[in-house]
Amino acid sequence: VQEQGQHYLVMEYVEGGSLREVLEKEGSLPAQRAVEIALDLADALTRAHRLGILHRDLKPENVLLAADGTPRLADFGLAHVATSSRLTQTGILMGTLDYVSPEACQGEGGDERADIWSFGVLLFELLAGCLPFRGDSFMARLNAILTLPVPDLSALAPGVPDGLADLVYRMLEKDRC
């Protein structure tokens, strides 16, 4: 919206808090609830990607929950529009490290697959109650993202169906090809 030469962003008021707050309270979510949230987020990401928009900072803090529990993808502050001039330089890390794809960690330009990686980290966290790649320092977390295999989701969250665990593993594939 533009008013008197000023641009304003108008958003829906979402009163249910963030997905981070739910995780802090509950630790993890039952697989069915995680899938319900994931389906709505996948729809939102698909719509953004069709418009040429990369979110680049998908994480529980940026998923708001409406009063009925449905998620809203928020905070497009780091988003990149594929058709616009370059908003950031290649080689600069954008986003929250724990959710950044391996190629972005290496300073490579990202595409929709980087958002899918972040989505996979978020889904892993919803199901297991912890991040898949951890470390005590920035460099340790960076090394984990770049080199370590995805932890066994079935061991961390025994009730997760095999097909869902397989989906998460595919989303967190380190080789983009």
Side-chain angles (χ1 to χ4, degrees):
V1 175
Q2 185 176 355
E3 180 73 29
Q4 298 180 2
Q6 294 290 326
H7 293 275
Y8 297 91
L9 177 63
V10 179
M11 290 181 49
E12 166 189 17
Y13 174 70
V14 183
E15 64 185 61
S18 74
L19 195 51
R20 170 60 64 214
E21 293 168 29
V22 171
L23 285 172
E24 287 174 356
K25 181 179 175 186
E26 299 180 26
S28 64
L29 299 180
Q32 181 62 36
R33 179 67 180 128
V35 167
E36 291 168 0
I37 290 170
L39 288 173
D40 285 339
L41 290 177
D43 182 54
L45 274 178
T46 298
R47 291 170 188 267
H49 290 167
R50 284 186 182 152
L51 294 171
I53 300 169
L54 304 178
H55 189 278
R56 301 195 316 173
D57 199 22
L58 183 60
K59 59 186 178 182
E61 291 84 348
N62 291 340
V63 176
L64 303 179
L65 299 172
D68 66 358
T70 57
R72 304 291 194 269
L73 184 56
D75 194 352
F76 282 78
L78 294 179
H80 173 73
V81 179
T83 58
S84 72
S85 60
R86 189 161 206 84
L87 299 176
T88 56
Q89 300 172 345
T90 300
I92 294 180
L93 183 64
M94 298 294 294
T96 304
L97 178 61
D98 293 323
Y99 302 88
V100 174
S101 67
E103 62 272 12
C105 287
Q106 295 173 324
E108 298 173 17
D111 58 21
E112 293 87 354
R113 293 172 290 186
D115 277 348
I116 293 169
W117 169 277
S118 300
F119 188 23
V121 173
L122 186 146
L123 187 51
F124 186 101
E125 187 175 11
L126 290 180
L127 295 165
C130 63
L131 291 164
F133 305 104
R134 294 175 272 177
D136 294 334
S137 68
F138 177 89
M139 290 306 294
R141 290 193 327 268
L142 181 65
N143 182 61
I145 291 168
L146 293 172
T147 64
L148 295 181
V150 179
D152 183 359
L153 185 55
S154 299
L156 294 168
V160 173
D162 292 341
L164 180 55
D166 183 57
L167 173 66
V168 172
Y169 295 141
R170 287 186 284 134
M171 294 170 83
L172 296 177
E173 178 63 44
K174 294 181 193 293
D175 184 5
R176 286 174 53 165
C177 297

